[in-house]
Every structure is written in C-alpha cells, then in structure tokens.
Amino acid sequence: RRYVAGGQCKSTAKLEGKVVIITGANTGIGKETARDLARRGKVIVACRDIAKAEAAASEIRAETGNQQVIVKKLDLADTKSIREFAEKFLAGTVCLLFLAEEKELHILINNAGVMLCPYSKTADGFEMHLGVNHLGHFLLTFLLLERLKQSAPARIVNVSSLAHHGGRIRFHDLHGEKSYNRGLAYCHSKLANVLFTRELARRLQGKSQRRAEFTANALHPGSVHSELVRHSFVMTWLWKIFSFFLKTPSEGAQTSVYCAVAEELDSVTGQYFSDCQPAYVSPRGRDDETAKKLWSVSCELLGIQWD
C-alpha cells in the first residue's frame, strides 16, 4: 500500500494572503488538492457542476475551518464560459468578502479533465478531449496570465498524465473527424498538456529577468481511483477490481500540491513531475518544434494572439 501511494508532499508552506484557482476541484484529485491548499490559504474552486462544487467546498470549509473556499462557474467545454469566468475574476467580483481589495492570483492549477469520452465536440466544435483538457486550459491561462505576472512570484501547474507517452499531435486531424479512438484521444490531449507547459515556460523565461518570478510545470498524478474513467464501463469495472493497486484521490493529489507549494521549486520551470520528483518525458513531449506549432494552432483555433 505504501508503495502504491507514491511520493508525498512534505512542504508545510503556508499561502497566507495568496490566491489559488483550481479547475475541476469538485471531485477526485482536484477536490483533494483544494482540501490541502485550503489549509494553507484562499482557494477558488472553478467547476462546471455548481451543485457538486458547492457540496465539496462546504465539506472542505467545515474540515479546514477556512471559509475562503469559493465556488465559481467554469465550463472548459465552452469558451464563452471561460471568458466570463476570467472577466469576473479580473474585475474582482469573485466574492465581496474574498477579493474585494485583493485582486491577485498566485497559483493556477489546471486540473480538470475528461477521459475516454465517446466522440463528441465542445460548444465551439473542438473534439472533447482536446477542447477541455488542452484548449480550455490554454485559453484560461492566456486570460489570467497578466494577473499572474502582476502577482509574481506565481505558478502554473498543469495536470497531465503518463498517458502522454502514447500520444501524438495529429495536426492533420486534431478533432478526430477522420479517425477516432477515445483512448488515444485522451493520450493526445495529455501530450498537449506537456507541450503547452514546455513552450509556456520557454516563452516566460525569455521575458523575465528573474526566472523564479513565474514558473510553469506539468505532472502525472499516478493511477488514481476516481470518477475520471466513468465514460468506460470496462475501465470502471477494472478500477473497482484493482482498487487496492490504485492511489486514493488524496495520494494522487500529492504531486499537484508539491508543484504548487514546494519551496525547492521556486526557480524550477518547464519540468514534468511524478510522485513529487522529476519524471521522464517522452521524446514527443520534448519536441520543441511540435510545441511551437501546437501553440500557434491553438491560438488560431481560439482566435487569440499570444506572442
């Protein structure tokens, strides 16, 4: 059991006066990440399902005693919802008692994701895995980037997966209209997370005189017993049978928390972690030309200019 649990974040760093946004924090590792960080500072739980998010936030408030755990609507499958979330946050209207005088953002954890979805598209016509797991977070990060810079030192944490090893960026068929396999679609989107992190870190380093001001890292949480496999009957069945060999959501959240708060990562950026330590990235995940092209294509798909 101890081996399966993997690495643990041992940092006791507090986040007093700091603000954290976590996407998809109403269940699984996102919820456990929010629970841990709520013991350290202020947390915004950004989720599509408000009812589930409120239930999770209420539980976290009661357990941690931190009333500054705030729920806000964010649907990563709809760019309109992403823009509305960002506009309200940047306007300082998240909560009168929470951010009336404190319009800062210190940590953005891009955690939400979908897995093994039957073929479907987002509100904007993107294949669901690519749209939610990559493009949604790409746009959210773009919209919040200046606030993160103004609040530096700041961190961006992208939850990827070991599955990125099986992915490739199929520029000729990004939305799976020619051929679609939901398992591979998930792998492709997780590779996109790694490449986005790599290119974002490269661009930020080039514009910052002090590297520690702003970091972006990706991670693999491990194989976690969560609702992520709910779209697959077979995977749900296997997850139940082999649950003893899977991490609990709390164990799976450890590397997310580590990347968000560990002091030793103050000047570390563009890296990929697993079990609270550096991990191997696939050759495709280290392809700078693909990372640059994906960045350009993502901007084009979202209708933004991000130089």
Side-chain angles (χ1 to χ4, degrees):
R1 181 68 247 177
R2 195 175 302 142
Y3 173 78
V4 171
Q8 286 190 320
C9 177
K10 298 179 181 179
S11 172
T12 58
K14 295 296 183 181
L15 300 175
E16 295 176 3
K18 295 191 175 182
V19 180
V20 182
I21 291 178
I22 309 174
T23 67
N26 63 332
T27 187
I29 65 172
K31 179 180 176 182
E32 296 306 319
T33 301
R35 191 193 307 275
D36 183 291
L37 296 183
R39 296 189 178 98
R40 305 171 189 257
K42 306 172 183 179
V43 177
I44 297 176
V45 175
C47 300
R48 177 179 59 83
D49 191 323
I50 292 295
K52 286 186 177 180
E54 286 289 1
S58 179
E59 177 187 320
I60 293 171
R61 291 186 205 109
E63 181 177 322
T64 64
N66 182 2
Q67 298 306 305
Q68 294 179 316
V69 179
I70 307 301
V71 172
K72 276 297 160 183
K73 173 79 172 182
L74 173 64
D75 185 354
L76 289 163
D78 186 347
T79 58
K80 181 180 179 181
S81 174
I82 299 169
R83 291 182 180 279
E84 287 177 351
F85 171 87
E87 286 172 6
K88 290 178 180 178
F89 176 80
L90 295 175
T93 59
V94 173
C95 177
L96 291 177
L97 296 177
F98 182 52
L99 290 174
E101 298 180 354
E102 184 176 16
K103 298 180 181 180
E104 295 188 329
L105 175 60
H106 303 89
I107 302 171
L108 172 62
I109 302 180
N110 291 319
N111 164 84
V114 295
M115 180 180 182
L116 302 175
C117 298
Y119 188 76
S120 57
K121 291 187 175 181
T122 68
D124 301 275
F126 308 139
E127 186 277 316
M128 189 61 70
H129 292 89
L130 181 76
V132 172
N133 297 355
H134 169 59
L135 291 172
H137 284 128
F138 187 96
L139 178 60
L140 179 64
T141 305
F142 166 74
L143 295 172
L144 298 178
L145 189 67
E146 287 306 313
R147 182 58 50 85
L148 282 159
K149 286 181 179 179
Q150 293 165 10
S151 308
R155 300 186 186 190
I156 295 173
V157 178
N158 294 324
V159 179
S160 180
S161 169
L162 183 69
H164 85 271
H165 286 269
R168 61 185 304 173
I169 306 301
R170 304 169 68 247
F171 289 109
H172 67 288
D173 189 24
L174 275 178
H175 303 296
E177 295 171 329
K178 297 178 181 179
S179 63
Y180 180 74
N181 177 289
R182 54 186 179 173
L184 289 177
Y186 176 72
C187 295
H188 302 334
S189 70
K190 293 291 101 177
L191 174 60
N193 293 155
V194 172
L195 291 170
F196 169 45
T197 304
R198 187 177 183 88
E199 180 63 9
L200 176 60
R202 185 188 70 80
R203 287 169 178 256
L204 292 173
Q205 274 186 268
K207 295 183 178 181
S208 177
Q209 293 180 342
R210 290 189 300 164
R211 187 182 181 192
E213 285 189 348
F214 202 155
T215 64
N217 291 299
L219 66 99
H220 167 56
S223 297
V224 181
H225 193 278
S226 70
E227 296 179 7
L228 192 60
V229 297
R230 63 187 179 277
H231 292 293
S232 170
F233 172 78
V234 173
M235 288 296 290
T236 300
W237 182 68
L238 289 173
W239 248 227
K240 289 181 180 179
I241 292 176
F242 296 105
S243 61
F244 183 80
F245 299 98
L246 300 173
K247 289 184 179 183
T248 64
S250 178
E251 292 163 350
Q254 292 302 302
T255 307
S256 294
V257 174
Y258 174 74
C259 289
V261 304
E263 297 88 342
E264 61 266 34
L265 299 187
D266 280 346
S267 60
V268 175
T269 190
Q271 301 302 306
Y272 172 75
F273 294 86
S274 178
D275 283 328
C276 301
Q277 59 185 359
Y280 179 74
V281 178
S282 73
R284 289 194 180 106
R286 289 179 271 120
D287 188 329
D288 288 333
E289 291 307 310
T290 300
K292 292 175 185 176
K293 184 174 180 180
L294 177 63
W295 184 284
S296 177
V297 170
S298 298
C299 288
E300 184 178 342
L301 288 170
L302 293 165
I304 60 176
Q305 290 186 334
W306 191 355
D307 298 323

